[in-house]
């Protein structure tokens, strides 16, 4: 059904005359007559009878009028639903306890007027595909995978360098240290069952191993953070890396230690990715917020791989 014809029908009803409806719609009276005739043909009924005083609704016209008004209201709502800023800003944060999630909580506190829809996608390829299809507006990702550059229509900016910490149980050889150097980690088993081959975080840790000769093991199934914490607490030979802003809670009797790593401090470089043609005003506000709160990059005494997403 032609919505312009339906809109013209309602205008004739509201003004009472074809001529007045034409003026309101900024079209000719002939165009009004043509639209009404086409609508009557589609419906196979007469909608108006002409009188000396204007146009009067037939019985069929009276029956159609409330539905015509509802059609126009639905059309208006449909258009409004996709206007820039009228829908929630949809952002991928990878995991609910990650630094990216913390950045979005800070953004929400600063801009509660912007409606958010936070999702968690798995890897950078999935996130980039979702950005390009319009399924999400932006994604927080740490690094690009070597040999797989971002598409030209995807923009990125580095927003947070997050230090890594060593997490040990109470009986680990390094448990009593206030800080540990990267060199001191050589020879210690660092267990990280959440590393999935082919992901950007797997590429990051591969580069960390190659740079400093560390031993990182990803053996065994990943049963989640609770099982990881239980194992680290009970196994003196194992430690794990944990990002500084990762929010985890464990039983007090676990006796776990979070130990800063220094000389240099490995940092996980988080970046925001988005499509260069995305018009959502909330995205511009998010980028400005992150720019105002971003940490300094490549600070003295820190390490990040040389193939991070450019900024």
């Amino acid at each position: 059904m032609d919505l312009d014809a339906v809109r013209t029908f309602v205008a004739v009803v509201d003004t009472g005359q074809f001529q007045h409806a034409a003026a309101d719609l900024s079209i000719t009276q002939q165009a009004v007559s043509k639209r009404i005739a086409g609508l009557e043909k589609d419906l196979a009924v007469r909608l108006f009878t002409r009188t000396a005083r204007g146009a009067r609704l037939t019985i069929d016209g009276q029956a159609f009028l409330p539905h015509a008004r509802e059609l126009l209201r639905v059309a208006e709502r449909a258009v409004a639903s996709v206007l820039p800023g009228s829908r929630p800003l949809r952002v991928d944060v990878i995991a609910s306890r990650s630094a990216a999630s913390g950045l979005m909580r800070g953004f929400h506190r600063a801009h509660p007027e912007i409606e958010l829809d936070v999702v968690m996608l798995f890897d950078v390829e999935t996130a980039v595909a979702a950005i390009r299809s319009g399924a999400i507006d932006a994604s927080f990702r740490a690094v690009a995978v070597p040999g797989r550059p971002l598409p030209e229509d995807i923009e990125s900016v580095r927003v947070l360098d997050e230090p890594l910490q060593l997490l040990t149980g109470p009986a680990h050889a390094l448990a009593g240290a206030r800080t540990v150097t990267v060199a001191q980690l050589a020879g210690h088993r660092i267990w990280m069952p959440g590393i999935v081959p082919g992901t950007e975080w797997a590429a990051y840790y591969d580069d960390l191993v190659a740079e400093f000769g560390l031993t990182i093991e990803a053996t065994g199934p990943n049963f989640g953070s609770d099982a990881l914490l239980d194992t680290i607490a009970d196994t003196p030979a194992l430690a794990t890396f944990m990002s500084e802003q990762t929010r985890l809670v464990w039983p007090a009797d676990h006796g776990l230690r979070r130990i800063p790593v220094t000389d240099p401090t490995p940092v996980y470089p988080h970046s925001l990715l988005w499509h260069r043609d995305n018009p959502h005003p909330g995205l511009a506000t998010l980028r400005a917020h992150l720019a105002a709160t971003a940490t300094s990059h490549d600070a003295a005494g820190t390490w990040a791989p040389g193939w991070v997403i450019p900024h």
Side-chain angles (χ1 to χ4, degrees), residues 227-249:
L228 174 66
L229 297 175
D230 291 344
T231 302
I232 295 299
D234 295 337
T235 311
L238 294 181
T240 192
F241 278 132
M242 179 175 291
S243 297
E244 183 180 70
Q245 297 187 28
T246 298
R247 300 167 60 90
L248 291 176
V249 178

Side-chain angles (χ1 to χ4, degrees), residues 143-301:
V143 290
V145 179
R148 283 183 277 173
L150 294 174
E152 291 185 357
D153 55 349
I154 300 298
E155 300 282 353
S156 68
V157 64
R158 197 156 142 204
V159 296
L160 175 66
D161 286 352
E162 184 183 14
L164 297 186
Q165 297 179 335
L166 188 72
L167 184 72
T168 75
H172 192 276
L174 299 174
R178 296 181 61 182
T179 64
V180 295
T181 66
V182 176
Q184 287 177 294
L185 298 179
H188 290 280
R189 296 168 60 198
I190 300 171
W191 187 50
M192 301 188 69
I195 295 180
V196 179
T199 59
E200 69 266 28
W201 60 89
Y204 174 88
Y205 285 106
D206 286 345
D207 214 42
L208 185 64
V209 167
E211 183 78 15
F212 299 106
L214 304 184
T215 302
I216 295 180
E217 302 176 4
T219 56
N222 181 14
F223 290 114
S225 59
D226 289 343
L228 174 66
L229 297 175
D230 291 344
T231 302
I232 295 299
D234 295 337
T235 311
L238 294 181
T240 192
F241 278 132
M242 179 175 291
S243 297
E244 183 180 70
Q245 297 187 28
T246 298
R247 300 167 60 90
L248 291 176
V249 178
W250 51 78
D253 60 5
H254 273 26
L256 295 172
R257 312 285 201 273
R258 294 182 72 146
I259 306 171
V261 181
T262 62
D263 299 326
T265 297
V267 294
Y268 203 51
H270 296 272
S271 292
L272 184 75
L273 279 60
W274 71 94
H275 196 283
R276 65 173 53 164
D277 296 328
N278 189 317
H280 199 299
L283 177 59
T285 305
L286 173 61
R287 290 169 53 196
H289 171 82
L290 293 173
T293 59
T295 61
S296 60
H297 309 307
D298 301 324

